[in-house]
Amino acid sequence: MNDKLIMTPGPTYIHEEVRQALAKEITNPDLDKNFYEFYKETCDAVKKILKTENDVLILSGEGILGLEAACASLVEPGENVLCIDNGIFGHGFGDFLSMYEGNVTYFESDYKKALDLDEVAAFLEKNHDFKVATLVHCETPSGITNPIGDICRLLKSYGIITVVDSVSAIAGEPLEVDAWDIDIVLGGSQKCLSAPPGLTFLSVSKDAWDKMLHRKTPIRGYYCNLSNWKTWYEDKWFPYTQPISDIYGFRVAVDRVLKKNDYIKRHKKMGEAVRKTLLEAGISLYPVNGYSNTVTTIELPGNVTSTEIYETMLNEHDIMIAGAFAYLKDKVIRIGHMGENCYEEKVYLTLKALDKTFRKYNVKIEGELHKQFVLNY
Ligand SMILES: *Cc1c(COP(=O)(O)O)cnc(C)c1O
């Protein structure tokens, strides 16, 4: 066991079974036909988590690779594309869209609230000449989960290809890729699945493949070109040598999610219990609605900095939590209770340390955080 408890919103704790799998003896993943079957079975297992019949790919590179690859592969120069933006990751998606020369329109919405279907609907009624739209399932910095199902179905009714960053939500929040009309959903190994950082996984719908394969201009770049993957299985050919050890570890992590089969429920109970504990103690949360069940973002009172909280938690209690970046820097602290971190004992210890840390800096709290933490599960 790590001498520190890592309670950040990714990378998360890696289960021993996953660590063991990372150490397994390897074969040549380009030449060994058995590896192609193993990779395929792993993709099929991911499909069950995503609730999709669409193709799934696992790429070598952390979550950001998937975001860039989706934009690089889908967007043609000059095309109208929509960036739905209610947070740091949502806005950042727009940078990838413009990097590949999309003509980007931003739909901006309150950074403290989940996206509102009616507002998006009212916007789309007037503006819907878009080929692609990007949005984020869970805004990890602010701790907000967006109602992506309703929004993607609506976008799709206008014939817009939907691209969703669900990196910090997959396996921790409900997700139904097919029922919700998501053309490309993006995930990373290091969040709720609790494998080491290093892999992106994504699903690609028929409409998304069609768009990529029938472009007027070639896809720029190689590593981000998803169309290279269209026939990997038939051809028994990967665009580059697969990170076989990472995939061995990832597979065990995916199988753990499927075998336990309680992830969504467990995250919901945990998210609710953590929020209730903090609110009862008079601590403010950053979001005003759409609370994430995988990460809780706490708004700091004026008399303490996030660095002070971070350092005290780490140095005096051996627990690592997270601050945030960009406009949230020094305004919030975040507890990741996702994947292997989503267990009562770990969250209890975290709240106990946070209780002591808050007291050290004279942050007013009612009662004791850990004693008020009740997980009905
Ligand atoms: C973690 C995360 C990513 C991936 O970012 P990395 O910097 O590769 O960890 C992408 N989107 C969201 C919403 C995330 O939380």
Side-chain angles (χ1 to χ4, degrees), residues 14 19 23-24 26 31 52 70-71 74 79 83 93 99 130 144 164 184 186 196 206 218 223 280 288 300 308 360 376:
I14 311 292
R19 292 202 324 108
K24 259 176 45 175
I26 67 163
L31 301 179
T52 187
C71 296
L74 288 172
E79 263 179 0
C83 174
F93 236 144
M99 207 177 287
F130 302 111
I144 291 172
V164 174
I184 294 190
L186 302 158
K206 183 178 177 305
Y223 219 75
E280 269 177 14
V288 297
L300 284 177
E308 284 168 332
K360 177 175 168 183
N376 291 313

Side-chain angles (χ1 to χ4, degrees), residues 39-80:
Y39 181 99
K40 185 171 181 300
E41 287 162 16
T42 307
C43 294
D44 288 343
V46 172
K47 287 182 196 180
K48 290 188 195 146
I49 295 178
L50 303 181
K51 303 216 166 48
T52 187
E53 303 283 318
N54 290 339
D55 289 335
V56 162
L57 301 171
I58 304 160
L59 312 180
S60 173
E62 230 315 287
I64 293 294
L65 170 66
L67 275 62
E68 179 165 355
C71 296
S73 303
L74 288 172
V75 178
E76 294 207 58
E79 263 179 0
N80 292 339

